[in-house]
Amino acid sequence: MNVKKGIALGWSHSRKALQLVTPDGKRIEIPQSEFSVHDFTAPKGLPFEVAWLMGKEVYYVELENGIYSRKRVMQKTISNMVVGEIFEATVIKFCKKGLFVEYNNCFFYCSIFEVSNSFVKDVSDHFYIGQKVDVRLLDKGSKYKYPEVSYKQAFPDCLDNYHSGDYCVCKVSNLSDHLGAYFMEVSPAVPGIMDFENCPKWSLPLHYGDEVLCVVKNVNSKGVRLIGLRVSRRANPVSYTHLRAHETDQYL
């Protein structure tokens, strides 16, 4: 399969096709029938994936009949994947009951129940658009169902690496207003939460990317609970521009 790539320019409603420009400046179209392995369209007939693909590289092949197809590339990518494998994907969209991630031009769905063992009210409290995350493939989906992945199952055994009283350096990954807590990245990767009230006043506010010296308060099936001791490194302000506007205003 001779896979080529072009930049997505727009969607033609009249022709129902994705318009691309190739590296040599040629303009081509991928008809909706060959656009995706999933038969999903938005209320106005615009395929779900189009909004994210605009301005980005799209992989395609040219069929014998002169028609260009993105669907064939997606089929090959998904067929070569193995259920249970862990891979790195990009967070591209939040929805009420989960989020979508992208890998090699293919889209995968992660249910809100596969984000954490603890209760999750809003997935945007745990992730930001464009974030790279490790996920585990649960199934390969179908024409009417996106392949499903799990975030929490990508590192099921890492909790064994943490014990109450341990010291560790963690990185701020996000914050939750309604929980009143920072979400921290710890390595080996496992969801961690640090309470506002447990973080010394002089170290607040924290920014995305800040590294904080913490002590493990406790470990259970819900993850790692942390107590902040001190900030070990301040992040460059541009690294937390992904935070929602009402959050960013608190720190500028």
Short mmCIF file of all heavy atoms in Angstrom, two decimals, residues 39 66 96-97 159 179:
data_model
loop_
_atom_site.label_atom_id
_atom_site.label_comp_id
_atom_site.label_asym_id
_atom_site.label_seq_id
_atom_site.Cartn_x
_atom_site.Cartn_y
_atom_site.Cartn_z
N ASP A 39 -19.28 5.20 10.03
CA ASP A 39 -20.39 5.85 9.35
C ASP A 39 -21.08 6.83 10.29
O ASP A 39 -22.21 6.63 10.71
CB ASP A 39 -21.39 4.80 8.86
CG ASP A 39 -22.45 5.39 7.95
OD1 ASP A 39 -22.20 6.48 7.41
OD2 ASP A 39 -23.51 4.78 7.79
N GLY A 66 -8.94 5.48 -9.57
CA GLY A 66 -8.60 6.90 -9.51
C GLY A 66 -9.21 7.64 -8.35
O GLY A 66 -9.05 8.86 -8.22
N LYS A 96 -19.57 14.43 26.88
CA LYS A 96 -20.19 14.30 28.20
C LYS A 96 -19.79 13.01 28.91
O LYS A 96 -19.59 12.99 30.12
CB LYS A 96 -21.71 14.37 28.07
CG LYS A 96 -22.44 14.41 29.41
CD LYS A 96 -23.93 14.59 29.21
CE LYS A 96 -24.66 14.67 30.55
NZ LYS A 96 -26.12 14.84 30.37
N LYS A 97 -19.66 11.92 28.14
CA LYS A 97 -19.41 10.62 28.77
C LYS A 97 -18.03 10.06 28.47
O LYS A 97 -17.79 8.87 28.60
CB LYS A 97 -20.48 9.62 28.33
CG LYS A 97 -21.87 9.99 28.80
CD LYS A 97 -22.89 8.93 28.42
CE LYS A 97 -24.28 9.28 28.93
NZ LYS A 97 -25.28 8.25 28.57
N LEU A 159 0.52 1.07 40.77
CA LEU A 159 0.22 1.43 42.15
C LEU A 159 1.13 0.70 43.13
O LEU A 159 1.37 1.17 44.24
CB LEU A 159 -1.25 1.12 42.47
CG LEU A 159 -2.29 2.06 41.84
CD1 LEU A 159 -3.69 1.51 42.07
CD2 LEU A 159 -2.17 3.45 42.42
N LEU A 179 -13.26 19.95 42.60
CA LEU A 179 -12.64 19.04 43.56
C LEU A 179 -11.69 19.78 44.50
O LEU A 179 -11.32 19.27 45.54
CB LEU A 179 -11.87 17.93 42.84
CG LEU A 179 -12.69 16.83 42.15
CD1 LEU A 179 -11.76 15.81 41.51
CD2 LEU A 179 -13.61 16.13 43.15
#
